[in-house]
Amino acid sequence: MDEVEEDAFVNWRPLGSKGYVSCETLYPCPSSWTLQASDQNEGFRWGTATDGAKPIDLEYMRTFCCGHGGLVAFVRDESKLVLQLGVPESEEHVHVCTLSGNLVENVELRGISSTRNRILHVGWTGDERLVVVTDRGWTLVYSEVGSGHSSCDEFSLGTACEQEGLEEVKVFSTGVCARTRENHFWGVGDFEARMPFRLADPDMPGATVHCFDVIPSLGGELEIVVAVGSDLAIVDAGQSLKFATGLGPFVQVASSPNGLMIAAVNCHDIIYIFHNENIVVEISLEEAAMGEDDSSFQTPSGTPTLLAWCGVNAVVAHWEDTASTLFVDVDGACTWIPVGEVVTIAPELDGAVFLRRKGVQFCRLVPQDAVDVLEPGSVRPGALLHDARELLGKEDVRSASELLAIVDQGDLEEAVQTCLNAAGFELSVSRQQSLIRAACFGMAFAPLASHDTKSRYKRGTKVVELARSLRILNALRQPHIGLPLTLVQLGSLGLPRILERLCTLGHFLLALDICESMGHTPQNILLKWGKRKISATPANVADKNLFDALVENLTAYPEVPWSSIAKHALQRGRKYLASMLIDLDTAVKRQIPLLLQTGGLEDAVRKSSVEGDPDTIFQVIKQGGPGVRKMLLESPSKEYQGTEAILKEVERIRGHALYLDYLAQARDHDTLALFHSRQGPLSVNVTASTSWNHAKAHLESVEEAKKEGKLLSSACVAAQRLQQIQGGLEASSGRDIFLGHSVAGTVRQCILFGLTNDAKKIAKEFKMSDRQFAMISLDAMCRAKDWVAVTHFMSKLDRRGAIQPEDVMEYAVAHNAPMHALQGIVDAVDPDIEPTRKSRMAASIGMEQQAPEDQSTMFQGIRNAVGTKKLSDILFQSR
C-alpha cells in the first residue's frame, strides 16, 4: 500500500476480529492555548484572547458540549474555588468557545452570583440555545449565543423545585428534566410552551436514586431511564417500568442518540448494554483488560468517570485516574483506545468527540467500505481500483492491468461505489481527493462493464454532490471556523441549520459561498448581515453613512429584503435610515406598514393609490383614519383618481365603520346592499335577519332605477328564504355544509348526503326545471364516485327526456370514471333500439369490439375526430 493509505491506517485500532476504531485529531493544541508557567506538561488553556483577556483554564472549569460539532460552554467549577485567586466577580459567566478553541462570547448570567443561586447544570438545545439551570430550578435560555448580543429568556421549573432544591439536571434537544433532593422528577418537554410537569415516581419506595438520563424520543413525550436501588426503570409522566432487576446498583447510565439502547455501569465495574430491556452486552473490567497486549497498559480501578455513546452502535468509558478509555460495541467486542486524559465526551450520531486539554479528538467505528479500500494488504475491488489510480499518477503501466482485472471480474461498479463511500468517511483532504480520483477513474471505464447510461449518470451526479458536500465540510472544519462535521452529521443537521450557525458566529462570507455552491437563495443571510451591521454600528455614525455601506455591500444580490432590514433599523431607533431603506423595496405591500410607522402617511397614500390594490388601500385607511379618506377623495391630485371606485370593490373589509360611513355619505345604496347581503349568509341568527332587512331597504331606496331595485329586493327575500332552509338542514342533519351555497349547490349537497326528499322540495319551491335537477343529481353521483347509481340512473333514462346517454357519458368521463363504469353506461343502451348510438359511445371510449363490423367506417371517423385528446375536453368544447 502507498504512503497515503499507511497514514490513514495509523489512527485505527483493531476491534477484535471484525473491524477497526478510528481516533483522529480534529484540532491539536491551537495557538490560542497557553501553557501554565508552573507545569509545562499539562494545563493547556482554551479561548482566543482577542481583547487581551486571560485564556480559559480547564483545570477550574466544568465543560458542556453541544452536539453536531457545535459550541462548548465552560463554567467555573465551584468545588475548586479555593484555588481561584483574586476577588470573585459579582456575576457568574459562561465562556463559550468553538471546538477549535476560539472564544466567541462571554455570557453574563443575570441574577446569579456566588451569594445566590448556584449553577447546577449547563446544556444545549437542538437549535444551539444555551440553557443554564440553578439548584433552585431557575432556568435561563440564551438565544443566538456567539453573536455577541445573545438574548435571554427566564422561567422557573415550579414551586416544588424551588422548595425541595435540585440534585441533578439533564438538558436535551427540546427541554429539560430535573431530579429534586426528594427524588421527584420534573420536566419541561418544550422550551416554547414552558409547562413544567411531574413525572411518575420509580416504583421502589425508599430506594436510593443514583442517576438518570433522558431517552431521545421522536414522539415528543419525555421519557427517562433511572438507576434506582439495584434496578433500572423507564419513567414517563404516567408510569414506571422496572428492568435489569438485581444487576445494580448502577452508578452511570446513558441512553443512545436514537433512544433504542441504554448503557449502564454498576458498582462492580461491569458495563451493560440493554435493548428493549434485554441484555445484549455484559463485559467486566477484568475481561476487557485481558484483551490488551500492551505491556505498559495499566488496568484502571473503580467505576469510570465518564460514560457516553459513540454513535448508536458503541459505548466509551473513561477512567480519569489512569487516563484509560474503553471502547465497547453492541456486539460485545472491545478495545482500549489511546486518547489520553479526557475532560468530557460529546456523543454524536456517528461517533464521539473527546475534549482534552491538549486538543480535540474524534472517535468512531470505521465502516467496511473504508476498511476494504485502506486496510494494508486489502485485495478488495475498491483497494485495487485505488491502487490502479495511484499507479496511473506515477505513470506506471501496471495501472492498466489492475483496472482490466477489475473489469474482467465484473467488480468495477462495486469498486467505484466503495471508493466514494470511503471518501465520504475520510476527514483528510488528501485522502478524500485520492479516493474520489480513483472513483472517477473507474467511472471513465464504466462502458466496458455496463451499457446502462442511466446508472452511469446517477453515479456521476453522486460524485458531484459528494465533492460539493466534502468541500463544505472541509471549510467548516478550518480552525478559524471550528465546526467539525462529518457527512452523516451534515445530512442530519441540514444545510439551513448550518447556514444559521455560520451567520450567528459572523461567518457571513462562507455562508454566502455555500449558498451559491448549493444553489440556495441568500436572502436570509443578507437579512442577518444587515441586522448585524446596523446593531454593531456605533450610534454616532450618521444614518446616511450607514445607508451607503449597506447599499454598497447588498445591491449586488437580487431580492434583498430591504423592508425587513428597515424594520430592524426602526427598532434600533434609526428612523431616517429606515425611511431610506424602505424606498429600495420594490413591493408596495411591504413598504406601507413601515411608511405608516415612520410617519410617511402621504407617501403611503400616494403609493397605495398608484398600486391600486384594495387591501393595501384599506390598510392605509384603517391606520390613517378620516384624514386619509379626505386626502384620497377630496385631493385634486391626479394620483388619487380612481380610488373611490377601488374602495367600493373592497370585499374583505366588512363591518369597518370608516367604509360604511363613506358609502352612506356617498349615497351608494347598491354597495351597502351588497355588503349587507354578504353578511346575511354568515349565520342564521338575528343579526343575519337584520342584515337581509337592511339590504332590502337599501335596494328599495334606489331612486335612479326603481324597477331594478324592486327586482333586487325580491331577490333578497328569496335569498333570505334559502338561508332559512339551509339553517334548518344543518340543524336537522348535524352538518355545517349548507350555508353559503346557491340553490343548485344546496340541492347537490342534499343529494350527496342522501337527503333526496329535501332536494326535491327545494327544487320545487325555487321552480327548478326537471333537466337542471336531473343534471345536478347526475353531477352529485359522479362527484361521489357512485358508479352503481350512475349506471342505474342511465338505465332509467327516457330516450325523449331532458337528459340523453351522451350527457351521462360526458359527466362520467369528466369525473375520471373507471372503464368498468363506462362500459356499464354503454351496456345500458339497447342495441336493438339505438345501435348507432351504442356503437358511437363504445368507440368514444375505445371499446371497438362493441361497434358492429358494418359500421367500421363510422367508428374510424369518430376515432379520427377524437385523436389523442381527452374525451371530456372534446365533449365540453362541443357544448
Side-chain angles (χ1 to χ4, degrees), residues 191-408:
F191 280 123
E192 305 301 330
R194 300 178 185 176
M195 295 294 294
F197 61 92
R198 181 174 172 179
L199 280 73
D201 293 329
D203 191 16
M204 295 183 67
T208 303
V209 176
H210 304 286
C211 56
F212 79 97
D213 194 23
V214 177
I215 301 176
S217 173
L218 297 178
E221 297 182 359
L222 177 58
E223 285 186 336
I224 60 175
V225 53
V226 183
V228 52
S230 298
D231 306 338
L232 293 176
I234 303 293
V235 179
D236 58 15
Q239 62 179 350
S240 173
L241 177 64
K242 294 192 300 183
F243 69 99
T245 306
L247 298 179
F250 294 94
V251 295
Q252 294 272 2
V253 63
S255 177
S256 62
N258 58 8
L260 299 179
M261 295 188 182
I262 295 172
V265 180
N266 65 10
C267 60
H268 305 295
D269 303 336
I270 300 178
I271 298 177
Y272 292 92
I273 297 179
F274 301 94
H275 178 62
N276 293 334
E277 290 82 45
N278 299 317
I279 300 175
V280 295
V281 173
E282 179 181 0
I283 183 170
S284 65
L285 183 59
E286 291 78 9
E287 293 175 342
M290 290 176 59
E292 181 60 38
D293 54 1
D294 189 355
S295 59
S296 62
F297 174 76
Q298 182 181 358
T299 304
S301 60
T303 57
T305 310
L306 301 172
L307 178 69
W309 279 85
C310 185
V312 296
N313 296 318
V315 176
V316 288
H318 179 75
W319 284 261
E320 184 178 5
D321 56 348
T322 58
S324 304
T325 304
L326 178 64
F327 183 99
V328 182
D329 73 351
V330 294
D331 295 326
C334 65
T335 185
W336 295 91
I337 52 179
V339 294
E341 184 180 357
V342 176
V343 176
T344 190
I345 303 175
E348 297 285 359
L349 287 175
D350 57 341
V353 175
F354 292 85
L355 204 66
R356 306 171 58 234
R357 295 178 186 172
K358 299 182 181 181
V360 179
Q361 286 187 298
F362 184 58
C363 177
R364 54 180 170 168
L365 282 169
V366 180
Q368 189 59 44
D369 288 330
V371 174
D372 290 345
V373 179
L374 301 177
E375 184 181 27
S378 174
V379 292
R380 299 290 299 171
L384 297 178
L385 179 59
H386 189 219
D387 283 342
R389 180 58 183 85
E390 293 299 316
L391 292 172
L392 179 66
K394 299 176 183 178
E395 299 182 356
D396 195 323
V397 294
R398 292 178 296 173
S399 173
S401 60
E402 291 200 12
L403 179 64
L404 290 176
I406 300 173
V407 174
D408 292 340

Side-chain angles (χ1 to χ4, degrees), residues 729-799:
L729 290 172
E730 289 194 352
S732 60
S733 64
R735 297 186 178 96
D736 299 333
I737 56 174
F738 295 99
L739 278 174
H741 285 281
S742 62
V743 175
T746 306
V747 172
R748 182 185 295 107
Q749 291 292 94
C750 290
I751 296 174
L752 281 173
F753 290 91
L755 305 176
T756 308
N757 294 332
D758 293 320
K760 293 179 179 179
K761 291 180 182 178
I762 295 172
K764 182 177 180 181
E765 181 171 349
F766 288 92
K767 300 179 181 179
M768 183 179 291
S769 65
D770 293 341
R771 172 177 171 79
Q772 185 179 6
F773 182 78
M775 295 294 282
I776 292 174
S777 302
L778 177 60
D779 180 66
M781 288 184 287
C782 291
R783 286 173 181 262
K785 307 296 183 182
D786 190 357
W787 307 119
V788 176
V790 171
T791 306
H792 181 72
F793 179 86
M794 176 70 185
S795 63
K796 298 294 184 180
L797 285 181
D798 185 358
R799 289 190 299 114

Side-chain angles (χ1 to χ4, degrees), residues 164 167 179-185 198 201-202 207-209:
E164 298 178 15
E167 185 68 25
R179 174 170 67 95
T180 68
R181 295 191 178 102
E182 301 295 330
N183 289 330
H184 299 148
F185 291 92
R198 181 174 172 179
D201 293 329
T208 303
V209 176

Side-chain angles (χ1 to χ4, degrees), residues 5 79 103 119 123 151 239 353 357 439 449 504 561 616 644 693 746 843:
E5 294 174 343
S79 65
L103 180 66
I119 298 177
S151 58
Q239 62 179 350
V353 175
R357 295 178 186 172
T504 301
T616 305
E644 181 177 355
N693 293 332
T746 306

Side-chain angles (χ1 to χ4, degrees), residues 771 775 778 802-812 879:
R771 172 177 171 79
M775 295 294 282
L778 177 60
I803 295 182
Q804 297 300 312
E806 287 82 0
D807 297 323
V808 180
M809 178 65 74
E810 177 184 348
Y811 270 92
R879 297 176 64 86

